Amino acid sequence: MDELFESLEDPEISELIGKDMSETWSQEGISKPPYDTAVLLERINQTKTSHLRVTKRKRNKQWKVWSSIAAILVLSLLGGGWFWNEINKEEQEKWQYRRAEIGEVVPVVLPDGSKVWLNAASEIRYLETFSIRNVEITGEAYFEVEEDKGRPFTVKTGSVTTRVLGTSFNVRAYKEDQNIQVTVRTGKVGVGKRQEGMATITPNQQISYSLENDAFAFSEVDASSLCSWRNGDLIFENSTFQDAVVILEKHFGKQFKFENERLKTCRFTSKFSGKESLDHVLEVLSKLNGVTYKVEDGTVYFDGKKCL
């Protein structure tokens, strides 16, 4: 017990605790701590003084009590961010959510005037006040961001962050995707896993982050074509069959399966207006990739020996 109090009194250890607390609050999105760190450390010191006054006769009996108190205080310091986040439900309720259902494209206007289009089965969330221009998405979204040099606009998709000042770009990050893709239509966009060392991409460039390999890859694309899905179009540009199936599932509300797993890597380019029937789309895709298909109980099965 004495060793614990002596450790907490050490300035270096106190500083480490403070840093750990700050990191915890930052991860939980808490800008202001729910208590004064100095006051809590002072209380621990007072607890230490009281502890030393305990008589030798009572020492063994009260040792467990003081150990529990000290443990609770330390855990409160280290886990305070989580605890505060749990009890501060009102703050959590200030998040705003918008969602596009299967087969929908939903336009959203953010509090700063920036415009977002959500592709089918996609969701965006942001703080109601929007004092900090941060949003989080799952699925696919196209952004037209209002310029504000004093307030960067940040999009969070899993472990990847996209940071801009004023531009138009597309982010795709469905849970089923193997890659997170960011495509720039106008302006410049910074993309990376950390704020520092972000890669910059410009119009008609795309950066793709592989979840499997933890690596980024760059490519030149037709951004206007890729982003035209917001008009209801189905766009596939050098897409793998597997990536295309993710979009088809969201658009038509059907399940797709491959009888031959090797077909998932087939690549093709095609565009549909979004008004064509599922049968028409399947006919075109089967011819492009040299495969056959069948529909059973609401599920589409692709089969074939190899890609064309």
Side-chain angles (χ1 to χ4, degrees), residues 282-305:
L282 292 176
E283 284 290 340
V284 173
L285 294 185
S286 63
K287 291 179 180 178
L288 284 174
N289 293 286
V291 302
T292 60
Y293 73 91
K294 62 181 179 181
V295 182
E296 292 182 354
D297 299 325
T299 299
V300 179
Y301 296 88
F302 288 111
D303 199 2
K305 294 183 178 180

Side-chain angles (χ1 to χ4, degrees), residues 3 17 36 65 87 106 127 168 234 238 244 286 294 304 308:
E3 287 82 354
I17 290 175
D36 190 314
V65 175
I87 64 174
V106 175
L127 284 174
S168 60
L234 292 174
N238 195 33
S286 63
K294 62 181 179 181
L308 286 180

Side-chain angles (χ1 to χ4, degrees), residues 46-80:
Q46 291 173 0
T47 302
K48 171 196 169 186
T49 303
S50 299
H51 167 70
L52 293 175
R53 290 184 187 142
V54 176
T55 63
K56 188 174 182 179
R57 181 171 54 85
K58 296 181 179 180
R59 197 180 191 92
N60 291 336
K61 183 177 181 180
Q62 294 189 353
W63 185 87
K64 290 185 178 180
V65 175
W66 287 115
S67 296
S68 299
I69 293 173
I72 291 171
L73 287 171
V74 173
L75 288 174
S76 296
L77 285 169
L78 298 179

Side-chain angles (χ1 to χ4, degrees), residues 240-275:
T240 65
F241 216 156
Q242 184 175 22
D243 286 342
V245 158
V246 173
I247 293 297
L248 294 174
E249 287 182 337
K250 310 304 181 187
H251 186 81
F252 291 106
K254 301 287 186 181
Q255 283 191 318
F256 291 76
K257 294 185 178 180
F258 293 92
E259 301 282 17
N260 182 350
E261 292 292 311
R262 295 173 60 186
L263 297 178
K264 291 182 177 181
T265 59
C266 295
R267 288 187 175 273
F268 65 94
T269 296
S270 188
K271 179 178 179 179
F272 302 92
S273 69
K275 297 179 181 179

